[in-house]
């Protein structure tokens, strides 16, 4: 079984494809997901989630997901 996460967030930096020692491609990136409620100061906090994508998904995220979009 594979872990799945569905969320809406903003990229902290552009994903970059790397290659492991055994030749498999992967991509590391971080997304900031804003919480749906305000804190005691009246400001929305965000959670920063580290994501790793492997294989074709790593290449797709690197090609289509950009911080500036």
């Amino acid at each position: 079984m594979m872990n799945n996460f569905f969320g809406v967030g903003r990229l902290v930096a552009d994903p970059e494809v790397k290659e492991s020692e055994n030749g498999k491609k992967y991509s590391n990136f971080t997304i900031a997901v804003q919480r749906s409620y305000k804190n005691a100061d009246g400001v929305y906090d965000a959670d920063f989630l580290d994501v790793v994508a492997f294989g074709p998904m790593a290449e797709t995220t690197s090609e289509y997901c950009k911080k500036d979009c």
Side-chain angles (χ1 to χ4, degrees):
M1 179 86 185
M2 179 186 240
N3 292 331
N4 292 314
F5 169 77
F6 298 97
V8 177
R10 297 179 185 170
L11 283 171
V12 174
D14 289 346
E16 188 175 309
V17 176
K18 298 178 183 177
E19 197 167 309
S20 67
E21 294 175 1
N22 60 2
K24 293 186 178 183
K25 294 184 180 180
Y26 68 96
S27 176
N28 290 329
F29 55 95
T30 303
I31 59 171
V33 179
Q34 187 176 16
R35 293 185 180 178
S36 60
Y37 55 89
K38 295 181 182 180
N39 63 15
D41 298 326
V43 178
Y44 290 105
D45 286 330
D47 294 308
F48 293 86
L49 306 173
D50 294 325
V51 180
V52 180
F54 295 96
M57 185 60 68
E59 295 174 5
T60 302
T61 55
S62 177
E63 184 177 346
Y64 292 107
C65 298
K66 304 293 180 197
K67 182 179 186 248
D68 296 325
C69 291

